[in-house]
Amino acid sequence: QVQLVESGGGVVQPGGSLRLSCAASGFTFSSYGMHWVRQAPGKGLEWVTFVRYDGSNDYYADSVKGRFTISRDNSKNTLYLQMNSLRVEDTGVYYCAKNGRSAWGPIDHWGQGTLVTVSS
Amino acid sequence: DIQMTQSPSSLSASVGDRVTITCRASQDIHNYLVWIQQKPGQAPKSLIFAASSLQSGVPSKFSGSGYGTDFTLTISNLQPEDFATYYCHQYKSLPLTFGGGSKVEIK
């Protein structure tokens, strides 16, 4: 079965950096696009970024453009999110999510999430 | 960006009830819609894609309908494990956008 396991969350000061990882198993990772979606405490879901199955194209929410970078290593079945210049409003649980196809499309599976706290 | 509006934002229902949640898109999204369930403290779980197709393993008590801008999620014979927050998301275009959520609580 599909498994997505995030890691790398923690507490960081405003302006700091953090790198999240998502280890994927149970499906052919290199055939599917992948997303990061976040959820601020007590709030709804917010799409952050998407990368195509082969890493050839990536897309970002305006709120993170220029600060966050999504990447993937298909040889390691791992998705990454490099987060720089972090702000207090970036605080929340970050979910790795599998796309239903190679280009963007429906999210069909979610990881358990990793908590990022940006605070001084 | 495509705006997704859900209603109601919360509702109270009893075990055995049938409930309906609606999601409206700010523009035509064909049937590019997913329904998601999230229980407190847990990760989201996708239930339905393409507006009406059940994800593998999701019970048939969940059903979705709609096309264009108006969509509904219906849950039949509500059970204790169904009390959760439900979200919709569109995938017609990026950025993916989500509805604000509909919390189903026990009456």
Side-chain angles (χ1 to χ4, degrees):
Chain A
Q1 73 280 22
V2 172
Q3 277 202 307
L4 302 167
V5 180
E6 302 93 334
S7 60
V11 180
V12 61
Q13 291 188 335
S17 297
L18 215 51
R19 189 196 198 201
L20 306 184
S21 299
C22 170
S25 61
F27 66 103
T28 305
F29 181 70
S30 57
S31 295
Y32 293 92
M34 296 292 295
H35 302 266
W36 287 98
V37 176
R38 68 185 180 184
Q39 187 170 35
K43 301 297 184 182
L45 300 167
E46 179 191 15
W47 175 80
V48 176
T49 179
F50 170 78
V51 63
R52 283 174 55 94
Y53 70 104
D54 58 358
S56 59
N57 291 94
D58 50 12
Y59 307 86
Y60 299 90
D62 287 345
S63 57
V64 307
K65 203 171 292 182
R67 301 187 298 122
F68 289 13
T69 303
I70 189 172
S71 62
R72 63 191 298 159
D73 186 336
N74 285 347
S75 68
K76 295 182 178 179
N77 288 349
T78 303
L79 178 73
Y80 302 99
L81 182 64
Q82 177 66 43
M83 303 186 295
N84 298 329
S85 303
L86 282 161
R87 304 168 180 168
V88 171
E89 55 266 32
D90 295 320
T91 294
V93 177
Y94 283 70
Y95 296 103
C96 164
K98 174 184 170 291
N99 198 62
R101 52 199 192 204
S102 58
W104 80 76
I107 292 176
D108 59 10
H109 291 87
W110 301 73
Q112 284 299 308
T114 187
L115 178 61
V116 172
T117 303
V118 185
S119 173
S120 54
Chain B
D1 298 0
I2 299 174
Q3 306 302 317
M4 306 300 292
T5 304
Q6 279 184 244
S7 61
S9 57
S10 66
L11 66 95
S12 295
S14 300
V15 172
D17 282 356
R18 175 180 170 179
V19 301
T20 298
I21 297 166
T22 65
C23 182
R24 175 166 288 176
S26 61
Q27 60 184 263
D28 185 351
I29 60 168
H30 303 308
N31 67 336
Y32 298 142
L33 186 98
V34 169
W35 286 103
I36 296 158
Q37 176 193 63
Q38 187 176 34
K39 298 178 183 179
Q42 295 189 21
K45 175 184 177 182
S46 292
L47 301 175
I48 289 170
F49 65 99
S52 60
S53 298
L54 282 180
Q55 279 284 136
S56 174
V58 173
S60 58
K61 63 187 306 181
F62 293 96
S63 62
S65 65
Y67 191 91
T69 60
D70 294 311
F71 302 86
T72 60
L73 171 70
T74 299
I75 311 170
S76 302
N77 188 22
L78 208 61
Q79 293 301 304
E81 61 269 24
D82 302 327
F83 290 93
T85 300
Y86 294 85
Y87 297 91
C88 59
H89 98 70
Q90 66 79 23
Y91 53 98
K92 172 68 167 54
S93 64
L94 292 178
L96 297 191
T97 47
F98 294 84
S102 296
K103 187 174 184 179
V104 178
E105 299 176 298
I106 301 174
K107 184 181 289 185

